[in-house]
Amino acid sequence: MTTLSTTLAKRLEDPRLFRQYAYVNGKWTHGEGGREEAVYDPATNEAIGHIPLLEAEQITAAVDAAEAAFVHWRALRADERCERLLAWYDLIQANREDLATIMTLEQGKPLPDARGEVEYGASFVRWFAEEGKRTYGETIPSHIPNASLGTIKEPVGIAAMITPWNFPLAMITRKAAAALAAGCPVIVKPANETPFSALALAELAERAGIPEGIFNVVLGEPAEVSKILCSEPRIRALSFTGSTRVGRLLIEQSANTVKRLSLELGGNAPFIVGPDMDPKEAAYAAVAAKFQTAGQDCLAANRILVHESIHDEFVAQFTERMAALTVGNGLHGEVDLGPLIHRQAVEKAAAIVDDAISQGATMIAGDQSQAPGDNFFMPVLLTGVTPQMKVWREENFAPVAGITAYSSDDEVIEMANDTEYGLAAYIYTHDIRRIWKLMRALEYGMVSVNSVKMTGPPVPFGGVKQSGLGREGGATGIDEYLETKYYCLGALGSVSGS
Ligand SMILES: NC(=O)c1ccc[n+]([C@@H]2O[C@H](COP(=O)([O-])OP(=O)(O)OC[C@H]3O[C@@H](n4cnc5c(N)ncnc54)[C@H](O)[C@@H]3O)[C@@H](O)[C@H]2O)c1
Ligand SMILES: N[C@@H](CC=O)C(=O)O
């Protein structure tokens, strides 16, 4: 193992949050086969550390540990689990600055955004700590003479979680806090690009008194680890956030063990601007909805659909606002966009832009010679985007904005729904009849009207169509980790005494 990189050593108040091991059964674990992988700062391409790639037996050992620990964790009272989760929440908040630094170094997002994600991630821990106390069953009016019927909620069992690199902390806490509060042990497999946020969470979970075997972080070759997690019958729930491509694979691999699946997959969000909107107000909102996390966000506005009557002014305002965005290393000063996660992401973005131009789109801005490093991509604006282009069909996951003009509400509904995805959609208009019509007609799990911000602990986050299965957060997020057990108590005698 390499030692802590000098950059990190200088920057962290608590260097013990930076761990280069997996975390299994309460122990920091190295790979028994000697395989390891470097993790790079996407802004500089420098290795910031290494992670072990665990062997199959070590992944199975994590399942053994979770199975043994489950007995005690599920037996705790809900308020006892709540206390541990609140302790975890407090520690995440207290170490916010270090967690943000680790995140910026491995993911690249600007430090203020990383701080925001730590806060966001912590908020799910507090939410589910409380929700764990409200996993009510119900009583059912009996149709059977002298019987009492009802339901109780029980933890589903060991829950595995496979998470992406774009939100390395919050995508873990939104799942893990729900599962832990429900009484389930957790095995997390973070993205290999961003393992250190997950490992810092493990360190803080241990300090919070979450017992050994209850929160495990396994690392390894992704396809290898996922196959084991999917085919392991003792793992009863699998929660995945990532691409639709990998989501489909995990569905196949989990079929034999008939797991509970929660899938948060890709998006292709339309951002619809009505004819009544102030073009400047709408353009500024669209820039905010497009470029956060350098466009690497499942909620990013992927197709901007603007009414033809305000299209040209909207494009002018968008261009001006976009030109003010600064691109650079997220650790240095105030930047709006950090790097993309790696060089392949830059190449994919360039290919999407080339494809659009070759099919007739106009590039208004986006001079890549200004990019401050190999993994940076300057924001691009394309107009005249059509449904044949990749920028329309694919989730571009890059700072590439594509604008299309439309002429009627019916046309824009058809355009917006013309995708296999159905995660989130934005509507900008003040016309209440248009809002209602669009909101009902859009085939999306989440619709945000006149607001870029739509997420947070109280909301049921998730998509329809090929954007996923299930909901995270909100009043129902904990249900992904609970089974409903029905009971029938017969031969009780009637209330009147017969
Ligand atoms: N719906 C949501 O809430 C949400 C949130 C964040 C990201 N996302 C989606 O995630 C995607 C970007 O993240 P990504 O590039 O990390 O996704 P990805 O699907 O490539 O990877 C996600 C996870 O799957 C693992 N993985 C990769 N290849 C695998 C394989 N062959 N078998 C098993 N596991 C494998 C990765 O190591 C990672 O842990 C985008 O599509 C984005 O929309 C969705
Ligand atoms: N921004 C999303 C993550 C998607 O990439 C969220 O809030 O969950």
Side-chain angles (χ1 to χ4, degrees), residues 120 166-167 171 174 296-299 397 455 461:
Y120 180 54
N166 66 334
F167 281 76
M171 296 303 98
R174 190 160 65 192
Q296 304 169 112
D297 189 324
C298 58
L299 302 179
F397 235 54
T455 63
F461 190 103

Side-chain angles (χ1 to χ4, degrees), residues 62-126:
V63 183
D64 296 341
E67 186 181 32
F70 181 37
V71 182
H72 306 290
W73 185 248
R74 71 177 296 173
L76 289 180
R77 292 191 316 270
D79 62 294
E80 291 173 315
R81 286 195 293 269
C82 170
E83 273 162 30
R84 314 266 171 112
L85 285 168
L86 289 179
W88 197 27
Y89 167 81
D90 287 341
L91 284 163
I92 295 171
Q93 288 288 20
N95 290 280
R96 187 171 77 134
E97 212 45 39
D98 278 352
L99 292 169
T101 301
I102 291 171
M103 191 187 301
T104 294
L105 273 162
E106 65 181 3
Q107 204 285 332
K109 64 179 71 182
L111 258 181
D113 292 5
R115 289 186 191 110
E117 186 184 334
V118 175
E119 190 88 31
Y120 180 54
S123 70
F124 291 109
V125 178
R126 186 168 59 179

Side-chain angles (χ1 to χ4, degrees), residues 163 165 189 226 240-243 246 264-266 298 395 397 461:
T163 55
W165 48 260
K189 191 216 84 62
S226 304
F240 171 72
T241 296
S243 62
V246 174
E264 297 290 344
L265 307 177
C298 58
E395 176 186 41
F397 235 54
F461 190 103

Side-chain angles (χ1 to χ4, degrees), residues 7-178:
T7 321
L8 267 167
K10 268 193 252 143
R11 283 183 170 269
L12 296 187
E13 279 169 37
D14 181 352
R16 282 186 312 143
L17 290 179
F18 181 73
R19 297 289 192 162
Q20 302 184 76
Y21 297 94
Y23 183 73
V24 174
N25 200 19
K27 291 172 193 62
W28 296 101
T29 307
H30 58 79
E32 281 169 3
R35 292 185 294 162
E36 62 172 40
E37 193 170 291
V39 178
Y40 297 93
D41 173 355
T44 60
N45 271 335
E46 281 166 3
I48 54 170
H50 288 73
I51 50 165
L53 303 179
L54 301 189
E55 301 304 313
E57 304 73 49
Q58 295 184 279
I59 308 294
T60 304
V63 183
D64 296 341
E67 186 181 32
F70 181 37
V71 182
H72 306 290
W73 185 248
R74 71 177 296 173
L76 289 180
R77 292 191 316 270
D79 62 294
E80 291 173 315
R81 286 195 293 269
C82 170
E83 273 162 30
R84 314 266 171 112
L85 285 168
L86 289 179
W88 197 27
Y89 167 81
D90 287 341
L91 284 163
I92 295 171
Q93 288 288 20
N95 290 280
R96 187 171 77 134
E97 212 45 39
D98 278 352
L99 292 169
T101 301
I102 291 171
M103 191 187 301
T104 294
L105 273 162
E106 65 181 3
Q107 204 285 332
K109 64 179 71 182
L111 258 181
D113 292 5
R115 289 186 191 110
E117 186 184 334
V118 175
E119 190 88 31
Y120 180 54
S123 70
F124 291 109
V125 178
R126 186 168 59 179
W127 174 266
F128 283 114
E130 296 297 338
E131 285 297 290
K133 294 187 283 189
R134 301 185 190 104
T135 56
Y136 305 121
E138 57 183 357
T139 54
I140 301 172
S142 179
H143 63 299
I144 301 171
N146 300 329
S148 191
L149 316 182
T151 62
I152 52 172
K153 298 284 180 77
E154 295 184 333
V156 64
I158 303 171
M161 292 157 191
I162 302 179
T163 55
W165 48 260
N166 66 334
F167 281 76
L169 188 141
M171 296 303 98
I172 294 175
T173 54
R174 190 160 65 192
K175 298 175 189 307

